[in-house]
Amino acid sequence: MKIYTKTGDKGTTSLFGGTRVPKHHIRIESYGTVDELNSHIGLLRDQKVDASTKDLLIEIQDRLFTIGAILATDPEKEKLKNGKDRLNIPKISAEDIEKLEKAMDQMNDELPEMTHFVLPGGHQSVSFCHIARCVCRRAERLSTALYDIEPFQDDVLVYLNRLSDYLFVLARKLSKTLQAEEIQWIPKKS
């Protein structure tokens, strides 16, 4: 199988189901940003993180592939002629969302109370986590814009929202574990 098809040479690409759309279409921006996020999660997974965090990051990457597939499916062609779903994969579930919430709760129990915003940084691993969080927020913004035009599974938006929260809490946990300075943002008085 060749990697290049030449079918996108004029600025269009194909969705699952065969529909061709411009490469700048909001649907492509949405799943492309989810793909970018997945790569940042991979970079984060390559840092010195504990085994349970690494396992959850791998699971998150799997779920992001699912989200990408959902976003890459033309809603008019999500059902095959026989009535079955075009995507024969598990959807995003309440359990996927709960797993992120439980992980956040567990990490938060070990962290000092937050009284201010914190400046991203302090250690390379923490910075990678904050970058992933920001890309996740962008993926969420783009996906909500797409959802307003062509709705898809609601839990995709919930998952992306929880994931950005998870990445923020993970950044704080990494700061503590790596003994990185967590600098609070305290606005200067004018």
Side-chain angles (χ1 to χ4, degrees):
M1 178 178 129
K2 287 187 177 183
I3 294 296
Y4 59 93
T5 62
K6 300 183 182 182
T7 58
D9 289 353
K10 295 198 177 182
T12 65
T13 192
S14 184
L15 301 175
F16 287 141
T19 304
R20 294 205 65 82
V21 296
K23 289 186 178 183
H24 61 270
H25 190 280
I26 185 70
R27 184 170 293 283
I28 309 307
E29 288 288 343
S30 297
Y31 75 72
T33 305
V34 168
D35 185 37
E36 181 184 351
L37 170 61
N38 206 334
S39 295
H40 283 289
I41 298 289
L43 181 61
L44 184 56
R45 193 187 77 210
D46 290 341
Q47 304 304 299
K48 290 184 179 179
V49 294
D50 62 85
S52 64
T53 299
K54 191 170 287 225
D55 289 344
L56 183 53
L57 291 173
I58 290 169
E59 190 169 327
I60 288 167
Q61 287 186 292
D62 176 83
R63 301 291 60 215
L64 290 175
F65 263 99
T66 296
I67 289 171
I70 290 168
L71 296 176
T73 302
D74 181 344
E76 292 181 12
K77 296 183 179 178
E78 65 183 26
K79 294 284 185 190
L80 298 170
K81 289 180 183 177
N82 63 11
K84 292 185 179 180
D85 288 342
R86 179 170 297 283
L87 295 177
N88 187 21
I89 57 174
K91 303 254 193 270
I92 298 300
S93 68
E95 291 78 27
D96 295 323
I97 296 162
E98 287 169 16
K99 190 171 276 192
L100 294 176
E101 292 172 346
K102 286 179 183 175
M104 280 187 280
D105 292 343
Q106 196 172 30
M107 288 186 289
N108 260 330
D109 287 345
E110 302 168 13
L111 295 171
E113 183 180 349
M114 221 180 106
T115 57
H116 294 83
F117 288 110
V118 294
L119 301 180
H123 188 281
Q124 186 175 28
S125 298
V126 175
S127 296
F128 287 151
C129 201
H130 279 292
I131 291 168
R133 173 186 56 79
C134 292
V135 174
C136 187
R137 286 285 190 212
R138 180 163 31 96
E140 182 184 11
R141 289 190 303 272
L142 289 165
S143 296
T144 57
L146 173 62
Y147 185 87
D148 285 349
I149 300 165
E150 296 177 330
F152 47 83
Q153 183 194 0
D154 293 349
D155 282 341
V156 166
L157 298 178
V158 176
Y159 189 85
L160 289 172
N161 187 288
R162 286 308 175 285
L163 180 55
S164 62
D165 293 337
Y166 167 81
L167 291 167
F168 177 76
V169 177
L170 179 59
R172 293 198 68 223
K173 177 190 175 229
L174 289 173
S175 287
K176 181 180 178 194
T177 302
L178 298 165
Q179 299 178 339
E181 183 181 8
E182 194 173 69
I183 300 173
Q184 296 181 340
W185 178 64
I186 301 171
K188 294 179 180 175
K189 306 268 185 210
S190 53

